[in-house]
Every structure is written in structure tokens, then in C-alpha cells.
Amino acid sequence: MIIYYKRIITYHKYPDNDQKDQDYILFSTSLKKFDKNVIEGVKFNPNTSIEEKENFLKQHLKIKKVTVKKI
């Protein structure tokens, strides 16, 4: 199964708008309808490797093979 991911970065409001508020990765099962098919309950640290992401998703989704691709 192919799982797509996208990095989300939000910033603080003014006057601290140059500092990051949140930095995480969201996963989805669809490329075209990414926002509608987001895998619920999974927000991931962006500093992890592809292998760690794939292993986590295999266990979370209970699937034998997972391929992770960046949008």
C-alpha cells in the first residue's frame, strides 16, 4: 500500500511570527484527496527516517507492506 505524507509547519501569531508553533507530518492514503483521506490519530516527528515511518505505519495499520512517498 502506498501512503503519502506532507509536512505541516505553523507559526506563532504576530509579534512572534518568525518562530515555529508546530512542525509535524500528516499521512494520507490518497494523493489527489489528501485532506479527505488523512490517517486519523497519527502526527509524526519530521526528523525521523523513512524506514521508521514505514515500520510505524505497518504496525498501526496492520499491513504487511507499506511504501511512503512525499508530496
Side-chain angles (χ1 to χ4, degrees):
M1 174 178 236
I2 298 175
I3 304 291
Y4 300 95
Y5 74 94
K6 176 168 57 171
R7 185 173 185 177
I8 308 293
I9 300 173
T10 58
Y11 293 92
H12 288 283
K13 293 184 179 181
Y14 184 82
D16 297 324
N17 57 350
D18 59 341
Q19 297 177 3
K20 291 181 184 177
D21 184 28
Q22 294 181 349
D23 188 8
Y24 57 91
I25 292 177
L26 287 179
F27 296 98
S28 177
T29 56
S30 174
L31 179 62
K32 292 182 181 180
K33 297 180 181 180
F34 187 90
D35 295 328
K36 293 183 180 180
N37 296 322
V38 171
I39 298 172
E40 295 295 326
V42 179
K43 286 187 179 179
F44 220 77
N45 184 359
N47 297 328
T48 57
S49 69
I50 297 288
E51 295 170 356
E52 290 179 89
K53 292 173 190 168
E54 288 178 352
N55 290 334
F56 177 79
L57 289 170
K58 283 180 196 176
Q59 293 174 357
H60 184 72
L61 300 174
K62 299 176 184 167
I63 299 174
K64 293 181 180 181
K65 182 166 174 140
V66 173
T67 305
V68 178
K69 292 187 178 183
K70 184 176 182 179
I71 293 182

